[in-house]
Amino acid sequence: MENGNNNALALQNTHVKLLAFDLLSLTQFPFRSPDAATSFFRRGIQISRVETLGTVTLRHLKPERLLRFAIDDGTGCVPCVLWLNDANSPSVVRRRRHELAARFVEVVKFGAVARVRGRLSRYKGGVQVTVSDVVTERDPNAEIFHLLDCIRLISSSLRDGERDESLRP
């Protein structure tokens, strides 16, 4: 089981590729209050950052505040939020992040295929991705390759001794 513990530590700061179906079914802990810091778990392993890929099916811009959008990969829709209100921050890092966010707004167009990376967060009791990076995919095979990567990663984790409760008879 030591290998499983090493894998768990390795995933804490890694963008884990997940399908919407898996992402939306993550276990949240603690359940006690909406304000509390939330940890997300997949099959007993803590996950804080994810990567997903799909078609932008919803886009709602609140200028100078945020961009809400959804990514549909065929297994479900992942809610995403991109914060835009760091422009007036005295921090150079935040100002640069704001400049990047402004560019990301241009990338997120309705119907575009986009790859999104970010940190998991809670919103209205559900999981969402707080976006740190988004790019448009131009490769027509990107979606199927992402799907196959996710399936391969699930299969390899099951072979490594991780139990999948959903597959039990």
Side-chain angles (χ1 to χ4, degrees):
M1 196 64 190
E2 189 172 315
N3 187 25
N5 290 337
N6 289 341
N7 288 342
L9 290 174
L11 290 180
Q12 281 184 325
N13 293 315
T14 302
H15 287 95
V16 179
K17 288 185 178 186
L18 289 179
L19 296 172
F21 173 80
D22 287 326
L23 198 146
L24 297 172
S25 65
L26 292 174
T27 306
Q28 297 179 23
F29 183 82
F31 297 101
R32 62 180 181 271
S33 80
D35 304 342
T38 304
S39 296
F40 295 89
F41 292 87
R42 183 175 184 280
R43 295 188 177 124
I45 296 175
Q46 187 175 0
I47 296 174
S48 61
R49 296 180 180 148
V50 294
E51 177 181 318
T52 191
L53 185 137
T55 304
V56 177
T57 57
L58 173 77
R59 184 181 190 276
H60 179 71
L61 176 64
K62 291 186 178 180
E64 302 300 318
R65 288 195 56 218
L66 61 89
L67 171 65
R68 284 201 178 283
F69 61 100
I71 296 290
D72 185 346
D73 68 2
T75 67
C77 289
V78 178
C80 302
V81 62
L82 175 63
W83 291 102
L84 304 172
N85 54 1
D86 285 339
N88 299 323
S89 170
S91 167
V92 173
V93 172
R94 286 192 177 164
R95 282 195 308 256
R96 286 194 180 140
R97 195 176 321 143
H98 174 74
E99 291 168 8
L100 276 175
R103 280 192 247 149
F104 293 157
V105 169
E106 299 304 316
V107 169
V108 179
K109 298 292 183 195
F110 188 79
V113 176
R115 181 177 306 273
V116 176
R117 285 183 170 189
R119 183 173 289 280
L120 290 171
S121 58
R122 252 171 84 152
Y123 181 67
K124 293 186 177 179
V127 64
Q128 75 175 2
V129 177
T130 301
V131 176
S132 60
D133 185 38
V134 61
V135 295
T136 302
E137 277 295 339
R138 297 172 198 256
D139 182 357
N141 299 312
E143 287 181 282
I144 193 68
F145 285 143
H146 178 77
L147 175 69
L148 292 171
D149 279 346
C150 291
I151 292 169
R152 181 181 51 82
L153 292 170
I154 290 169
S155 298
S156 67
S157 68
L158 292 174
R159 275 193 306 260
D160 290 342
E162 188 178 307
R163 288 189 170 162
D164 184 1
E165 300 300 323
S166 66
L167 297 178
R168 282 192 166 175

